[in-house]
Amino acid sequence: MPRKGKLNNDLGGEQITYLNQEDHKETIETYNVSADNIEVDKLVQKVYDEFNSSDERKLMLDGIKYYNNESEIDKKVRYDHCGSDGKINDKLSNAKMHKNIMRKLTRQKVTYLLGKMFSINTDNDQYKEILESEYFEKNTYRLIFNTLKEAIKEGINWINPYYDEEGKLCFRRVPGNQVKPFWADREHTKLDQLIHYYDVEVYKGDEKKTVTYADYYSKNGVIHYVKEDRGFVRDKERPRIEGNFSLMVPQTEDIKNDKGEIVETTYKLDEDGRIIFEPQEMVWDKLPWVPLKYNEEETSLLKYIRSYQDNYEKLISTVVDIVNDIPDAIKYFKGYSGADLAELTEKIAQYRAILIDPDGDVGSIETKFDITSVSSLLDRIRRDAYEDGAGADMQSDNTGDKSGVGLKFLYSDLDLDSEEIEQEMNVFLEWLLFFVDFDIQLKHHTDYSEEEVTFDYNKTLIINESEQIDMINNSRDMIPDKILLPKHPFVDDVSEVEKAIKEQELEDQKKMEEQMKMFGNTPINGNNQDPNQDPNQNPQANNNQDPNANK
């Protein structure tokens, strides 16, 4: 799929305008937002008020909290067992047991798909080398890994491409709860506009203060805002519309005739006759924001498992409270109704004995708690959480045999969810390549945007390795090695293995040639010549001469 883009350096003026449509004010028109002639300044404040308190953003923040072991059970309190006033009783056990299903499933999903580096496939070897060595190296892969992890927590996360002070293309990850996108289509595949809200801690003397900023992105550039007491206003330190980055552009001047008519446009030169370059702000024809979604609905995993985790933690915490508050047996004292219970129990604990009146009695009533039924319920909740959360329940005994078929059954739900995530990953990487290809063209002066690129995900799962290797070996006559290699259980980095195979082949060829020389044979090459021989010399020349030529 072509990823070719173009530059736009028409940044507009104080009024945001469409390219070549100076009389048309920019509007927001999506399937769920429609506002004609809206002022951007008012829009930034209005969206902030709505998005900041929305259920959508609250779910994102809750997804992060649950992952960090901050769930509903933390709010648990205990009340008196009797009475209608409902007073809090801080003398009772108040266990807050956590069962972090959210964290377990999130890590399982991201590690299953991206636990090993994905493989980049393209027919252009030079392009592949540039991608692997300059762009998709370990640091970038780690960034993508963490972006997917956060996307599962929040439903969506973002990568913001930018150029640093040294002119290097960089990528920063931005949480979904800071970004309000305006999509141009119902499928959410094209960004029209976007607002990024973020807080920055600043120090004024000894006082630390949190300042909220907002950056409004459109196809014409970015406008910066800062939140004051009266709301968002244009940032005085960055008051004008800015581009996405700057390029050193050659300056031109018009040559006019006596009538003032332009007859020629030429480059401006300095005193030494060199072309004058000056920085000029540029805007990509795509907003520099790349979304990575957990699913098509852009919804956090928490939405599907919250009730299971909350009830599991509530139930097991109640069990712990019962065990702590109620001993295995309660003592009873017959004929001692007038005694002080606290003093009586203290004496028993002190002397390990008690005096009994003729009509009195001391005994105990068993209060054993049957935890079997509770354990069965907890197990059912956990299994349902893994089913609805599309994970692999490693505590399950229902996996059949331990062959490849049985293990596939164990991973079936996780693999199904992984297929959907893989589709979102492909869209994300294709989107990211737009900016990578642009940077490659700037630095290497070669356009690779028409090259087809695919990504193979080397999923991490428990497999029957011997069965896997046998299947690979049996398929070599039908399937090329470059397709089988990523499937091999011993291969983590396909590119490194491919390089090692080539080096080994060259080494084996060299050894074979040395052995042929030892036995007086000439190594075979393309021309059946010794590689050390001068190619202009023909070893057959003397043999083909006329034997009478020198007579």
Side-chain angles (χ1 to χ4, degrees):
M1 181 178 180
R3 299 175 296 277
K4 184 182 287 292
K6 61 180 182 296
L7 288 175
N8 162 23
N9 62 354
D10 182 1
L11 299 179
E14 291 300 315
Q15 169 65 52
I16 300 289
T17 60
Y18 284 113
L19 289 182
N20 303 322
Q21 299 182 33
E22 296 181 359
D23 295 331
H24 183 76
K25 291 184 177 181
E26 189 162 25
T27 63
I28 297 173
E29 294 181 3
T30 68
Y31 73 95
N32 61 353
V33 177
S34 179
D36 293 331
N37 299 324
I38 191 167
E39 296 181 16
V40 175
D41 295 2
K42 293 181 180 179
L43 172 72
V44 171
Q45 181 64 53
K46 179 178 176 60
V47 172
Y48 177 80
D49 294 337
E50 294 176 352
F51 180 60
N52 207 40
S53 58
S54 65
D55 292 338
E56 171 192 3
R57 185 169 184 269
K58 185 178 183 301
L59 179 60
M60 292 178 174
L61 296 174
D62 285 347
I64 297 173
K65 288 180 180 178
Y66 270 69
Y67 183 88
N68 293 331
N69 223 33
E70 301 171 19
S71 59
E72 197 69 20
I73 196 64
D74 293 325
K75 302 175 184 178
K76 175 174 170 280
V77 294
R78 295 290 305 279
Y79 296 91
D80 288 334
H81 291 299
C82 56
S84 59
D85 53 0
K87 292 181 179 179
I88 295 177
N89 190 336
D90 56 5
K91 295 182 180 179
L92 295 174
S93 170
N94 188 25
K96 300 175 182 178
M97 308 301 295
H98 287 272
K99 178 68 173 179
N100 205 331
I101 302 174
M102 176 68 178
R103 179 180 176 87
K104 179 70 176 289
L105 284 173
T106 299
R107 297 177 66 192
Q108 189 179 85
K109 292 174 187 296
V110 68
T111 305
Y112 179 69
L113 187 64
L114 296 181
K116 299 178 182 179
M117 289 188 69
F118 50 65
S119 305
I120 302 174
N121 298 316
T122 178
D123 293 335
N124 192 312
D125 292 338
Q126 185 176 4
Y127 181 36
K128 180 180 180 180
E129 175 65 26
I130 293 174
L131 290 177
E132 291 179 339
S133 61
E134 299 183 25
Y135 295 94
F136 292 97
E137 28 72 50
K138 291 183 178 180
N139 286 334
T140 304
Y141 190 82
R142 181 173 177 268
L143 176 67
I144 294 173
F145 181 95
N146 290 329
T147 303
L148 176 58
K149 181 173 67 176
E150 298 302 318
I152 296 173
K153 297 181 197 176
E154 299 187 65
I156 187 172
N157 241 236
W158 299 82
I159 290 292
N160 174 214
Y162 69 99
Y163 281 96
D164 64 10
E165 296 82 359
E166 299 177 355
K168 179 183 178 182
L169 179 65
C170 301
F171 305 107
R172 67 164 63 93
R173 185 186 63 80
V174 180
N177 63 81
Q178 294 182 1
V179 178
K180 179 58 181 176
F182 295 94
W183 301 96
D185 61 334
R186 208 174 270 274
E187 289 73 27
H188 289 194
T189 61
K190 298 177 182 178
L191 270 177
D192 186 42
Q193 297 157 83
L194 178 145
I195 306 177
H196 176 209
Y197 299 98
Y198 56 99
D199 295 333
V200 177
E201 291 184 349
V202 297
Y203 284 87
K204 292 184 178 180
D206 296 333
E207 182 184 359
K208 183 173 74 171
K209 183 180 180 181
T210 300
V211 180
T212 301
Y213 293 90
D215 295 336
Y216 169 82
Y217 287 82
S218 72
K219 295 178 181 179
N220 298 86
V222 56
I223 308 176
H224 303 284
Y225 294 84
V226 60
K227 191 173 184 293
E228 297 182 351
D229 294 337
R230 58 192 176 97
F232 282 96
V233 297
R234 296 282 182 104
D235 192 344
K236 296 177 181 178
E237 297 181 1
R238 299 173 294 175
R240 66 183 185 83
I241 302 172
E242 295 182 354
N244 302 138
F245 60 97
S246 297
L247 281 180
M248 298 302 293
V249 177
Q251 300 302 296
T252 61
E253 59 182 347
D254 296 329
I255 307 299
K256 300 180 180 179
N257 57 20
D258 296 338
K259 298 180 181 180
E261 299 172 339
I262 299 175
V263 295
E264 183 182 2
T265 300
T266 183
Y267 290 115
K268 287 184 179 180
L269 304 178
D270 61 14
E271 296 177 353
D272 298 325
R274 294 174 298 188
I275 298 176
I276 299 175
F277 286 82
E278 291 185 3
Q280 184 172 354
E281 291 189 78
M282 298 290 180
V283 179
W284 279 299
D285 62 348
K286 278 188 177 182
L287 300 191
W289 289 86
V290 183
L292 177 53
K293 307 173 186 179
Y294 167 47
N295 48 36
E296 183 184 8
E297 297 77 20
E298 302 167 19
T299 303
S300 167
L301 169 65
L302 182 65
K303 183 176 181 179
Y304 310 103
I305 65 167
R306 186 205 290 260
S307 61
Y308 296 111
Q309 181 166 332
D310 285 346
N311 281 287
Y312 192 106
E313 293 178 342
K314 182 179 179 180
L315 185 57
I316 195 170
S317 297
T318 300
V319 171
V320 173
D321 287 339
I322 292 173
V323 173
N324 287 336
D325 288 338
I326 304 176
D328 290 340
I330 298 177
K331 290 183 173 62
Y332 69 86
F333 302 94
K334 183 179 180 182
Y336 295 86
S337 57
D340 186 294
L341 184 61
E343 181 181 357
L344 189 60
T345 53
E346 181 182 350
K347 295 298 183 182
I348 294 175
Q350 181 179 0
Y351 295 107
R352 301 288 181 178
I354 185 172
L355 298 175
I356 303 176
D357 292 335
D359 297 331
D361 187 22
V362 175
S364 61
I365 302 175
E366 290 188 357
T367 58
K368 289 185 177 180
F369 178 70
D370 184 10
I371 200 173
T372 304
S373 58
V374 177
S375 297
S376 177
L377 180 57
L378 288 171
D379 185 63
R380 174 62 183 270
I381 293 174
R382 177 187 53 77
R383 286 187 283 111
D384 287 350
Y386 275 90
E387 182 177 354
D388 283 7
D393 184 5
M394 297 303 178
Q395 297 183 35
S396 174
D397 296 327
N398 189 24
T399 60
D401 55 27
K402 295 300 183 288
S403 66
V405 176
L407 292 171
K408 284 183 178 179
F409 178 82
L410 176 64
Y411 281 92
S412 58
D413 285 338
L414 178 59
D415 198 55
L416 185 65
D417 198 45
S418 177
E419 291 296 325
E420 185 175 356
I421 299 175
E422 190 173 324
Q423 295 297 321
E424 299 297 342
M425 278 291 304
N426 288 335
V427 174
F428 164 78
L429 292 169
E430 182 77 22
W431 203 320
L432 198 65
L433 278 176
F434 169 86
F435 301 97
V436 170
D437 288 339
F438 172 80
D439 191 61
I440 292 176
Q441 189 171 0
L442 279 181
K443 296 178 179 178
H444 296 271
H445 309 291
T446 305
D447 183 8
Y448 293 110
S449 60
E450 299 293 335
E451 294 287 345
E452 184 71 25
V453 182
T454 59
F455 298 87
D456 286 338
Y457 303 93
N458 306 309
K459 297 178 181 178
T460 304
L461 72 163
I462 301 172
I463 61 172
N464 188 316
E465 292 183 348
S466 60
E467 285 186 10
Q468 183 84 354
I469 294 172
D470 287 342
M471 285 191 293
I472 291 174
N473 289 333
N474 293 334
S475 303
R476 295 191 66 181
D477 293 337
M478 299 177 289
I479 303 175
D481 287 347
K482 68 176 183 179
I483 296 178
L484 294 174
L485 197 57
K487 310 296 182 184
H488 200 288
F490 298 159
V491 174
D492 291 327
D493 190 327
V494 175
S495 297
E496 290 295 325
V497 173
E498 288 176 340
K499 291 178 183 178
I501 290 175
K502 290 181 180 179
E503 292 174 358
Q504 183 175 336
E505 289 175 349
L506 291 174
E507 185 177 347
D508 290 344
Q509 182 180 353
K510 184 178 179 181
K511 288 181 180 179
M512 184 182 69
E513 291 175 353
E514 291 176 353
Q515 291 177 354
M516 293 178 67
K517 289 180 181 179
M518 290 175 59
F519 291 96
N521 296 321
T522 302
I524 300 175
N525 56 26
N527 299 318
N528 292 329
Q529 291 180 335
D530 189 330
N532 297 321
Q533 178 185 336
D534 186 346
N536 295 322
Q537 292 182 356
N538 185 354
Q540 302 296 327
N542 293 332
N543 296 333
N544 294 334
Q545 288 181 350
D546 186 345
N548 299 319
N550 295 327
K551 291 183 180 180

